[in-house]
Amino acid sequence: MASDSSKKTIFAAMGANLAIAITKFIAAYITNSSAMISEGIHSFVDTIDQLLLLLGLRMSQKPADDSHPFGYGQELYFWTLIVAIFIFAIGGGMSIYEGITHLINPSPLEDPIWNYIVLGVAIIFECFSWTVALKEFLPTKGNQGFWEAIKNSKDPTIFTVLFEDSAAILGLLVALLGVFLGHLFNNVYFDGIASIIIGVILAIVAVLLATESKGLLVGESANPQTIANIRSLSKTEPGVQEVIRVLTMQLAPQEVLLNLEIQFSKKLTGEEIASTVDNLEAKIRQKHPEIKQIFIEAKSLAATRKSSRTA
């Protein structure tokens, strides 16, 4: 259920963020920079986020049981939502708090050379992690626009890391600008303002992630193209008179539940309908292997009989 690309993206981001967090906190201790403290918090939170995503991937692979007959795939969506809350509360909240505290009680400026070194190295690491996430995301994008692809994506691990790394790079640039302007104008307040801006960036990213995670967690359908393909595929099967409804639910990034309501030709016998159902299921699975559970409701039988089949 968890793709190798998802794990690759998470491990690349986690390694980069852990190394960056350590160096940022060291630089913040030496230079007493509020923006650097915020950036250190940011990278530490991102590291914890990767661990939570790995936990979500592991939990989502638990086999189905009596209490969860369709498996635990949506565990991943739950932990992605927790990541969004964590970014908002810890990352954004503490950065804004640190910035406001610095504005109220500004600290004297120190030699910025360590800040420049650490921020430069951090930008390189974050760009590497961002590039890995982008390379994993682009094949899933197809001909869709960037935001449309994010909205239709069913694997939150990749776009979560992509969002986090984009926010990290933007935050690093803000921190770099805050440190530079603070020393250029010998004004301690630029550093605090930069910290607040970093917190706002994190809060915005958290809201975007929470919105996407919520949609998946409450039972989002498969993407429109998949639904259209299923409808077209069903109509090509001899004996299918009409496709009444195509209901889908995303259970995991690579697992979809399908409930198909079909009007079969009234001339078909019960045996012929069963054969048609078997053929249709085989065609759907061949075209869309992510559809693991298929339930077909046959409407042409005189007794309004329901034919349901599970993978």
Side-chain angles (χ1 to χ4, degrees):
M1 198 174 299
S3 66
D4 290 338
S5 63
S6 297
K7 291 183 178 179
K8 176 183 176 182
T9 303
I10 294 173
F11 279 119
M14 185 168 60
N17 286 321
L18 181 59
I20 293 169
I22 294 171
T23 54
K24 283 177 180 177
F25 280 128
I26 293 173
Y29 176 78
I30 295 173
T31 63
N32 200 29
S33 168
S34 174
M36 286 302 297
I37 293 175
S38 295
E39 275 299 306
I41 293 170
H42 180 183
S43 294
F44 177 73
V45 168
D46 282 352
T47 304
I48 300 299
D49 290 344
Q50 313 316 319
L51 291 173
L52 292 176
L53 288 176
L54 286 174
L55 175 62
L57 283 173
R58 182 179 179 84
M59 297 292 288
S60 69
Q61 293 176 343
K62 292 168 59 178
D65 53 33
D66 290 340
S67 60
H68 292 82
F70 296 116
Y72 290 80
Q74 291 182 320
E75 283 271 6
L76 178 58
Y77 301 150
F78 168 77
W79 286 105
T80 304
L81 181 62
I82 296 300
V83 165
I85 295 171
F86 200 70
I87 293 173
F88 185 88
I90 307 299
M94 289 188 67
S95 294
I96 293 173
Y97 172 79
E98 176 64 29
I100 293 174
T101 301
H102 192 79
L103 291 178
I104 297 174
N105 300 299
S107 303
L109 298 173
E110 304 289 346
D111 184 0
I113 186 64
W114 282 104
N115 286 339
Y116 293 139
I117 293 174
V118 170
L119 289 172
V121 171
I123 288 174
I124 293 173
F125 274 110
E126 289 290 2
C127 285
F128 166 75
S129 176
W130 183 85
T131 301
V132 172
L134 184 64
K135 285 182 178 180
E136 299 300 332
F137 174 73
L138 287 179
T140 67
K141 176 178 173 293
N143 296 323
Q144 304 175 92
F146 184 83
W147 288 109
E148 183 184 2
I150 291 289
K151 183 176 179 60
N152 291 332
S153 176
K154 308 305 179 182
D155 187 350
T157 55
I158 294 177
F159 69 70
T160 295
V161 173
L162 191 61
F163 274 16
E164 285 183 346
D165 288 345
S166 298
I169 293 172
L170 188 57
L172 287 167
L173 294 176
V174 170
L176 187 63
L177 184 62
V179 171
F180 174 73
L181 292 177
H183 285 83
L184 178 64
F185 296 104
N186 194 30
N187 188 328
V188 296
Y189 294 107
F190 279 109
D191 196 42
I193 293 172
S195 183
I196 293 173
I197 294 174
I198 292 169
V200 172
I201 291 172
L202 290 175
I204 292 173
V205 167
V207 170
L208 289 174
L209 286 177
T211 301
E212 291 302 316
S213 300
K214 173 179 172 290
L216 291 167
L217 191 59
V218 300
E220 191 169 283
S221 67
N223 65 63
Q225 184 178 359
T226 297
I227 295 173
N229 286 343
I230 292 171
R231 186 177 290 276
S232 298
L233 197 61
S234 301
K235 290 180 178 179
T236 63
E237 182 65 26
V240 174
Q241 182 174 318
E242 181 185 357
V243 179
I244 301 173
R245 287 195 303 175
V246 180
L247 303 177
T248 61
M249 180 182 294
Q250 198 76 35
L251 299 177
Q254 296 299 324
E255 184 172 349
V256 175
L257 168 68
L258 169 63
N259 183 34
L260 196 58
E261 188 176 341
I262 291 178
Q263 179 77 41
F264 290 101
S265 172
K266 295 182 179 179
K267 297 180 181 180
L268 296 181
T269 65
E271 185 176 336
E272 288 172 332
I273 288 178
S275 176
T276 301
V277 168
D278 288 338
N279 293 337
L280 183 55
E281 287 183 356
K283 285 184 178 180
I284 292 174
R285 288 197 176 93
Q286 183 178 14
K287 181 73 173 179
H288 298 282
E290 72 277 12
I291 299 178
K292 309 296 184 184
Q293 309 282 348
I294 301 178
F295 294 86
I296 296 180
E297 183 175 353
K299 283 295 187 180
S300 69
L301 300 179
T304 318
R305 166 185 164 191
K306 293 183 179 180
S307 173
S308 299
R309 295 176 180 267
T310 308

